[in-house]
Amino acid sequence: VPDDVLLNASTMQNKKELVEAYFYFASYFINIKQDAVKAKLYLEKILEIDPAHAAHASSGRNIVACCVQ
């Protein structure tokens, strides 16, 4: 995702949909691709866009951390 999208995401009206998409990508990378590093990147992007989702992203990062060996 281009950086300018992330920088403008906080002012976007579809911020909720972008956060949901990042959750989907994080789930895809951890469950299907088994790539915890990429999953963690998407969880961190969620926090950049909307810190109100810190609890969800934090629990996701904890799951990812368990998978990273």
Side-chain angles (χ1 to χ4, degrees), residues 13-54:
Q13 291 183 2
N14 62 347
K15 179 170 59 172
K16 178 184 174 204
E17 288 82 7
L18 186 57
V19 168
E20 288 176 8
Y22 283 155
F23 272 122
Y24 172 83
F25 285 130
S27 298
Y28 170 79
F29 279 106
I30 195 66
N31 294 318
I32 305 300
K33 292 292 187 177
Q34 297 181 355
D35 186 342
V37 175
K38 281 198 177 183
K40 184 178 177 186
L41 291 174
Y42 282 104
L43 293 170
E44 290 171 352
K45 287 180 182 187
I46 293 168
L47 290 177
E48 290 176 24
I49 294 170
D50 191 0
H53 285 85

Side-chain angles (χ1 to χ4, degrees), residues 51-62:
H53 285 85
H56 294 280
S58 178
S59 63
R61 279 197 314 255
N62 290 340

